[in-house]
Amino acid sequence: MKKGYYGQFGGRFVPETLIPALEELESNFRRFKRDKDFHTRLNELLKQYVGRPTPLYFARNLTERLGGARVYLKREDLCHTGAHKINNAIGQALIARLSGKERIIAETGAGQHGVATATGAALLGLKCTIYMGSEDVKRQALNVFRMKLLGAEVREVSSGSRTLKDAINEALRDWTTNVRNTHYVLGTVFGPRPYPELVKYFQSVIGREAKRQILEAEGRLPDMLIACVGGGSNAMGLFSAFLKDDVKMIGVEAGGKGIDTGLHAARFAGGSIGVFQGAKSYVLQDQDGNILDTHSVSAGLDYASVGPEHAYLKELGRVQYTYALDEEALDAFELLSATEGIIPALESAHAIAETVKQAPKLGRDKIIIVNLSGRGDKDVEQVSRLRPR
Ligand SMILES: *Cc1c(COP(=O)(O)O)cnc(C)c1O
């Protein structure tokens, strides 16, 4: 396969001015991958700071309630800062630090990736600027405050729809100008080469751990993996270790209020092939290629495109992609809270919603691993308004 491509997907569709920055990052990444000291330092941070390995928890109550396959939860919600995003943010911050950069920048939508990046910057003594659409700044005041506490500067972006995609454009502009001392921490397995590979590299620890843990617990591989798919990094992190095995995999997108309503972020069910923000993949666009507005109850799944490797895995038929509606995710949010005492992120609740559909169809001798990508503390206020008690 051509470098940076996954079948026909991926690539590096960026202005000429960004190429040197991407080239430099790619060569640093290749170098650190082979560097023993880098791995020693990274593993130490993952263990002592992030809290890895995260448990693979057998959800006995949920399993009994669903009456089918044995359900295990990979507890990324127990990572420092409450989600898998820190695995990538710490890895990239470490690359920046060891490459001699003084500053990292990032885009953020709901603020989760901004918080993870600001955390990495605080830990490793880097300056940090986070770009965020002014609409999102208003909606996510608490995360803006968190980033500032962590020492980051938050720059509001008031162009376009004033949300995530505009923030990405501004961050890329900043990087073009300041590449000498700045690293751009992209938050998911998307964007131009080498980001999809780089982010997958740092998230693949999820799948490696889960594989070892399930072999320990059950003495065999699982029958099915389920993960939610925003850009696709937590799903890719889990799936990557099992791609060559006889294990079924399901990626769950945000079905919002339904595909026919247009109010969703289901790129596979409702999108088409196109180029967006540096990569070729499935995109929610109109016939002229204008990017459509997206909707999801969960901000982390609310994006108009999806990682190119997912598009490839879909085309190969290796991974099946489906979606969960807002209401199904909210049901799952309540179900997991009440049965297991675990309040999931609304993103992760999409994966639980699919588990609710799959587990009863499988026999009791079957095993499902669900990636619980994050904790739901950030979402309780929103759910208290949508589902008051
Ligand atoms: C951001 C986020 C996601 C979606 O991002 P992916 O790159 O698809 O993993 C999922 N879950 C949580 C908890 C998140 O914060």
Side-chain angles (χ1 to χ4, degrees):
M1 226 172 329
K2 233 171 91 186
K3 200 161 77 157
Y5 276 84
Y6 307 89
Q8 63 162 315
F9 302 105
R12 183 182 269 182
F13 298 87
V14 296
E16 205 58 41
T17 46
L18 260 186
I19 300 285
L22 292 165
E23 286 291 328
E24 184 194 317
L25 172 59
E26 187 161 9
S27 85
N28 284 337
F29 171 42
R30 303 257 172 263
R31 181 158 55 84
F32 287 123
K33 254 168 66 164
R34 291 190 307 261
D35 182 340
K36 237 181 99 206
D37 292 343
F38 176 76
H39 287 282
T40 305
R41 183 92 175 93
L42 178 63
N43 290 336
E44 189 183 284
L45 289 176
L46 289 177
K47 185 171 172 202
Q48 305 292 349
Y49 188 75
V50 176
R52 306 206 70 91
T54 59
L56 182 70
Y57 166 70
F58 174 52
R60 190 179 299 277
N61 300 338
L62 182 67
T63 296
E64 271 169 26
R65 173 69 73 92
L66 299 178
R70 296 163 66 76
V71 178
Y72 283 81
L73 304 176
K74 182 58 175 160
R75 298 289 309 272
E76 292 302 294
D77 60 316
L78 295 179
C79 289
H80 176 50
T81 70
H84 69 291
K85 283 192 172 77
I86 192 78
N87 303 325
N88 171 55
I90 289 284
Q92 288 199 44
L94 188 60
I95 282 193
R97 174 86 226 200
L98 298 177
S99 307
K101 307 286 179 188
E102 300 150 13
R103 174 174 180 260
I104 55 179
I105 60 173
E107 82 294 345
T108 197
Q112 296 304 112
H113 176 54
V115 170
T117 302
T119 302
L123 175 69
L124 295 174
L126 295 158
K127 278 185 251 166
C128 181
T129 304
I130 304 294
Y131 287 89
M132 193 169 186
S134 52
E135 271 309 306
D136 291 331
V137 167
K138 256 189 274 165
R139 287 188 292 211
Q140 307 289 343
L142 213 51
N143 272 339
V144 173
F145 186 72
R146 277 195 187 99
M147 289 181 257
K148 289 181 177 169
L149 265 183
L150 293 162
E153 175 200 359
V154 179
R155 280 196 199 155
E156 277 191 48
V157 178
S158 315
S159 54
S161 59
R162 303 174 184 178
T163 57
L164 179 60
K165 66 175 162 34
D166 313 290
I168 295 181
N169 291 338
E170 278 308 313
L172 285 170
R173 209 160 295 153
D174 178 322
W175 200 29
T176 313
T177 322
N178 299 302
V179 59
R180 200 185 43 77
N181 71 347
T182 299
H183 169 70
Y184 178 21
V185 182
L186 207 139
T188 188
V189 287
F190 193 70
R193 181 187 110 216
Y195 281 107
E197 186 192 342
L198 177 67
V199 178
K200 174 187 179 178
Y201 184 76
F202 289 127
Q203 293 295 0
S204 62
V205 64
I206 301 173
R208 279 198 308 276
E209 285 177 8
K211 193 169 195 174
R212 179 167 51 71
Q213 290 167 320
I214 198 70
L215 288 173
E216 234 164 68
E218 294 274 356
R220 71 174 186 87
L221 292 177
D223 299 281
M224 184 182 280
L225 308 176
I226 300 177
C228 67
V229 179
S233 68
N234 85 86
M236 197 56 73
L238 176 66
F239 294 173
S240 56
F242 299 88
L243 283 170
K244 296 197 175 97
D245 301 314
D246 183 19
V247 176
K248 202 174 161 192
M249 301 178 191
I250 304 182
V252 188
E253 296 185 284
K257 297 185 189 303
I259 305 304
D260 332 330
T261 65
L263 298 170
H264 63 82
R267 291 69 44 104
F268 290 126
S272 52
I273 294 172
V275 171
F276 183 51
Q277 295 189 316
K280 183 175 176 186
S281 184
Y282 276 75
V283 182
L284 288 168
Q285 57 188 343
D286 67 16
Q287 282 167 343
D288 299 324
N290 300 307
I291 301 306
L292 296 172
D293 282 339
T294 51
H295 162 85
S296 170
V297 70
S298 95
L301 302 184
D302 198 353
Y303 184 59
S305 190
V306 58
E309 192 171 2
H310 283 289
Y312 180 57
L313 292 169
K314 175 199 158 58
E315 215 169 65
L316 289 179
R318 179 64 189 89
V319 177
Q320 185 195 325
Y321 293 86
T322 183
Y323 56 85
L325 302 174
D326 285 354
E327 290 298 319
E328 294 172 324
L330 287 165
D331 289 344
F333 181 91
E334 293 174 337
L335 176 69
L336 192 69
S337 302
T339 53
E340 293 289 352
I342 297 172
I343 302 176
L346 277 172
E347 291 84 4
S348 323
H350 285 69
I352 300 293
E354 180 62 18
T355 307
V356 170
K357 297 173 195 172
Q358 294 292 337
K361 289 196 272 182
L362 299 177
R364 286 171 194 271
D365 58 332
K366 299 286 194 253
I367 300 167
I368 301 179
I369 297 179
V370 187
N371 206 8
L372 201 72
S373 54
R375 67 178 181 223
D377 303 47
K378 68 183 179 58
D379 298 317
V380 287
E381 194 188 326
Q382 184 189 355
V383 176
S384 76
R385 273 180 271 118
L386 294 170
R387 297 267 176 108
R389 283 168 191 259

